[in-house]
Amino acid sequence: MSQLSGPRFVTLPEIREAALRSTPRDAWNFGDGGAETETTLRRNRAHLDRLAIAQNVLVDVREIDLRTSLLGVPLSWPVAVAPMGGLVLFHREGDVEMARGAGQGDTLQWLSGATGWPVEDVAKAGAGPQMFQLYAHGDRGWMGELLARVEASGYRAVALTADVQLYGRRERDILNRFTPREAMKIAPNPRGPDPHYQARLTWGDVEWLMKTTRLPVGIKGLMTVADARRAVEMGVRLVWVSNHGGRQLDHTQSTVDALPPIVDAVAGRAEIVVDGGFNRGTDVVKALARGARVVACGRTMLWGLAADGAAGVARVCEILREELQTTMGLCGRTRIADLTPDLITRVD
Ligand SMILES: Cc1cc2nc3c(=O)[nH]c(=O)nc-3n(C[C@H](O)[C@H](O)[C@H](O)COP(=O)(O)O)c2cc1C
């Protein structure tokens, strides 16, 4: 077999490198960067790196089963594409292409509420499960109409992003004089986006959302025990531990460290998604062992899209899945339910 007949990409860092080469500098920084000093961004990663996985041996690991579910939706593996706006800056067909890639990779796609595409078109392009992330970019009338379209298109859940009440100061973009919305040439929505809709978002809006949609409701951007507890007490079904990949509040906790006390407080009353710096199979194992049900990947999927469109996203999924399987086998766990807290130690 000639060397060139293999897959185009063989490791995840190789895909990131290819994305870096093919993406205009301002768009790259928009995707790669975080808020202010980027401490949150680095901390997400640093705190993952200080966790060690126990190496349990002499277990028959010929069959490793990655299947799981989220909110009753069966998933072939516990990883999802995180919702991301601005995908058109990385691929001409943006969210539609991401939907194709997620479908090819048999991976749950969360569509961003900042999408420039009609939700119906993205739903048609996807072959696998899809869920919708909502931004309060307009009044309740506007959100209600959007939610009706989301439901009619077959999305299986909706998560309200709560950590963008104000837009984080992304200093790379500020320095580059780069405004994503302008770069994407998105016409202003006459009933939004209006930053004030987000700034005045409160728990009352979550109640409204739960009354308005028949889909299971989640909140994305929960980082404290108090907020997570309040969410589940209101009947929120999905607690999404996230600091927006370090793009919003700088100097907040890492998500992998915020996770365990939230898992304890939620106590099985809601399902838990986590994101923020989870780029490798080992990271997914750490998240699941600490109690997350699904790990969402943002930039890792974005680099796949930028490097090779849908095929790049599918390849990211394939490699990450292989890493996850290898990691599980090498730590002696063959089912997702076997990934338990005793697998993880903090090493510093
Ligand atoms: C380019 C980009 C755009 C994003 N847009 C959104 C968005 O529209 N809505 C949202 O809830 N989160 C958005 N996020 C945050 C992601 O959903 C996710 O929380 C974060 O990327 C996870 O960290 P990771 O990139 O390290 O995996 C965005 C992230 C990136 C990198």
Side-chain angles (χ1 to χ4, degrees):
M1 198 160 76
S2 105
Q3 267 191 320
L4 291 174
S5 66
R8 179 162 171 209
F9 300 116
V10 289
T11 70
L12 294 172
E14 186 185 30
I15 296 177
R16 186 175 192 275
E17 277 302 312
L20 175 58
R21 283 195 304 274
S22 62
T23 305
R25 194 189 65 130
D26 287 355
W28 174 268
N29 280 309
F30 162 68
D32 195 45
E36 301 183 13
T37 65
E38 300 193 342
T39 298
T40 301
L41 177 69
R42 283 191 303 277
R43 184 171 285 157
N44 278 341
R45 195 54 247 170
H47 289 190
L48 269 164
D49 289 337
R50 71 181 191 195
L51 298 180
I53 303 172
Q55 181 173 295
N56 303 298
V57 299
L58 296 173
V59 176
D60 180 346
V61 294
R62 281 173 299 174
E63 302 280 328
I64 295 175
D65 186 354
L66 300 183
R67 283 173 305 166
T68 185
S69 66
L70 187 66
L71 298 167
V73 177
L75 304 179
S76 68
W77 70 316
V79 168
V81 178
M84 284 177 285
L87 295 185
V88 72
L89 300 168
F90 301 87
H91 189 282
R92 193 166 32 86
E93 298 201 38
D95 302 79
V96 163
E97 188 74 3
M98 185 65 98
R100 293 184 191 118
Q104 286 168 29
D106 199 7
T107 299
L108 168 65
Q109 179 196 18
W110 279 90
L111 173 63
S112 163
T115 181
W117 267 267
V119 295
E120 294 82 0
D121 294 3
V122 181
K124 277 194 208 108
Q130 292 173 306
M131 297 183 178
F132 185 74
Q133 173 265 317
L134 178 69
Y135 270 135
H137 272 174
D139 57 26
R140 286 183 177 177
W142 175 84
M143 283 195 283
E145 286 164 27
L146 176 59
L147 286 166
R149 288 173 48 206
V150 164
E151 288 171 13
S153 315
Y155 293 84
R156 309 292 297 270
V158 55
L160 175 70
T161 290
D163 60 6
V164 190
Q165 292 206 266
L166 304 175
Y167 191 76
R169 284 181 56 80
R170 322 246 170 104
E171 283 198 7
R172 297 196 209 181
D173 297 344
I174 293 170
L175 268 173
N176 291 334
R177 278 75 180 163
F178 180 75
T179 316
R181 292 197 75 82
E182 278 172 22
M184 289 185 277
K185 301 185 180 63
I186 291 183
N189 166 1
R191 291 159 71 188
D194 169 348
H196 297 304
Y197 288 120
Q198 302 243 119
R200 70 180 183 212
L201 205 61
T202 65
W203 291 100
D205 296 291
V206 177
E207 257 164 36
W208 171 83
L209 177 59
M210 291 199 302
K211 274 192 283 187
T212 305
T213 180
R214 54 180 173 75
L215 294 174
V217 168
I219 304 180
K220 178 171 182 282
L222 293 172
M223 285 291 288
T224 70
V225 164
D227 283 348
R229 198 172 271 143
R230 183 155 182 183
V232 290
E233 279 163 8
M234 286 174 64
V236 165
R237 303 261 313 273
L238 180 74
V239 167
W240 191 323
V241 178
S242 175
N243 52 32
H244 219 96
R247 300 162 76 81
Q248 285 296 111
L249 178 61
D250 199 15
H251 283 270
T252 192
Q253 257 190 307
S254 64
T255 50
V256 78
D257 278 0
L259 181 62
I262 290 180
V263 168
D264 288 348
V266 167
R269 291 175 290 172
E271 292 184 356
I272 297 188
V273 174
V274 70
D275 70 31
F278 297 82
N279 309 326
R280 309 287 293 227
T282 46
D283 301 332
V284 176
V285 163
K286 291 172 187 181
L288 267 48
R290 283 198 151 187
R293 193 165 182 93
V294 160
V295 177
C297 294
R299 296 177 183 88
T300 306
M301 299 294 181
L302 184 62
W303 306 148
L305 182 77
D308 198 16
V313 175
R315 188 70 182 129
V316 165
C317 295
E318 196 174 26
I319 298 175
L320 196 52
R321 196 189 290 255
E322 209 171 296
E323 286 187 357
L324 174 59
Q325 226 149 11
T326 304
T327 304
M328 285 177 64
L330 292 176
C331 68
R333 305 286 160 106
T334 58
R335 292 174 316 154
I336 295 300
D338 298 337
L339 299 173
T340 43
D342 56 296
L343 206 50
I344 305 298
T345 350
R346 198 177 133 169
V347 283
D348 285 317

